[in-house]
Amino acid sequence: MATATITGNVVNVRVEGTTPLQIGMSLQRHSYRHCATATVAAVTNSLLHASVDDATITAEAVEVGEQIEKILAKPKSGWQALFGKSLVVRSGRTYLVDNSALNPNGSPNHFFVTGGDGVWAGVSQADYIAARDVRRLEEAISTRRERGDTYDYLNPKKLHEKQNEPGGAANPVVQVVQAARVSLAAASADDTALIAASGRKDVVALIRNT
């Protein structure tokens, strides 16, 4: 039976059976909740919405692993049967299996979400960077609050006052906001998909309007 665990920003699946293997999905690349630490983006990306939590991701990774086990258990089945294979889990989300070398004859070691409910599919590089910076702002505010900072950073007027006070430019939240303004300016003008993925209309509006 397949098992899955999240280690760092990767969900790893252990596939059992006569042909055991391990495959992984980068959550940094494919989950909004984990994208803040990303440094690069592909030309086209996909992101699970913030509403898809780690427990759900792990459960669906197990489903992917179980489907792979069934495919490999068939007579004369091999790696070629898996490369580029799209697998649909119970939620209706679709995951594609491949390998990092993109070799159709190689052992699969990679899978990623491509579509379905709660998925932002076909994300451009610019839109992905914008999503990453929105997530970074969320985390920057959370970090300040964990340290006892009760300042209302989500209030546009208060944020403006903070960035204009002496030393305000060095505030970590202000710095993230400034970077996010640049990335959102380069992204799609329509924020509908970004808001749906992040669940943070307030944060997106703060970046756009301050």
Side-chain angles (χ1 to χ4, degrees):
M1 179 179 178
T3 57
T5 56
I6 292 178
T7 303
N9 287 318
V10 178
V11 56
N12 292 300
V13 182
R14 176 69 182 176
V15 176
E16 304 297 344
T18 56
T19 313
L21 60 90
Q22 181 168 300
I23 61 173
M25 178 174 72
S26 168
L27 299 180
Q28 196 177 54
R29 286 279 310 280
H30 300 291
S31 168
Y32 173 80
R33 292 161 57 87
H34 292 264
C35 72
T37 55
T39 56
V40 295
V43 174
T44 305
N45 307 271
S46 60
L47 282 171
L48 289 159
H49 287 190
S51 57
V52 183
D53 61 19
D54 287 0
T56 301
I57 291 170
T58 303
E60 293 191 352
V62 169
E63 288 187 62
V64 168
E66 290 174 343
Q67 291 189 44
I68 290 173
E69 287 176 347
K70 290 179 181 178
I71 293 170
L72 292 177
K74 294 178 180 179
K76 299 182 180 181
S77 183
W79 303 137
Q80 295 88 340
L82 289 173
F83 185 85
K85 183 75 172 179
S86 289
L87 304 173
V88 181
V89 299
R90 284 187 288 273
S91 68
R93 284 186 277 271
T94 303
Y95 293 82
L96 187 141
V97 181
D98 62 9
N99 57 53
S100 53
L102 297 179
N103 176 7
N105 298 313
S107 170
N109 62 3
H110 178 243
F111 73 105
F112 60 99
V113 68
T114 58
D117 185 53
V119 177
W120 186 6
V123 186
S124 71
Q125 192 172 50
D127 285 350
Y128 175 89
I129 296 300
R132 179 203 66 184
D133 287 353
V134 170
R135 182 59 174 159
R136 284 182 174 179
L137 179 53
E138 284 188 75
E139 294 190 352
I141 293 172
S142 294
T143 298
R144 296 296 296 181
R145 287 176 175 167
E146 288 168 4
R147 295 176 178 175
D149 184 349
T150 59
Y151 197 83
D152 187 6
Y153 290 101
L154 292 173
N155 182 314
K157 181 180 178 181
K158 292 286 188 181
L159 178 63
H160 182 74
E161 291 173 354
K162 174 61 70 174
Q163 62 190 15
N164 286 293
E165 69 181 27
N171 182 286
V173 174
V174 171
Q175 291 178 337
V176 175
V177 169
Q178 290 173 338
R181 285 175 185 150
V182 175
S183 60
L184 263 72
S188 299
D190 186 347
D191 292 326
T192 302
L194 175 59
I195 291 169
S198 66
R200 296 304 302 265
K201 183 177 181 178
D202 56 342
V203 174
V204 175
L206 181 74
I207 298 167
R208 287 285 195 196
N209 301 322
T210 60

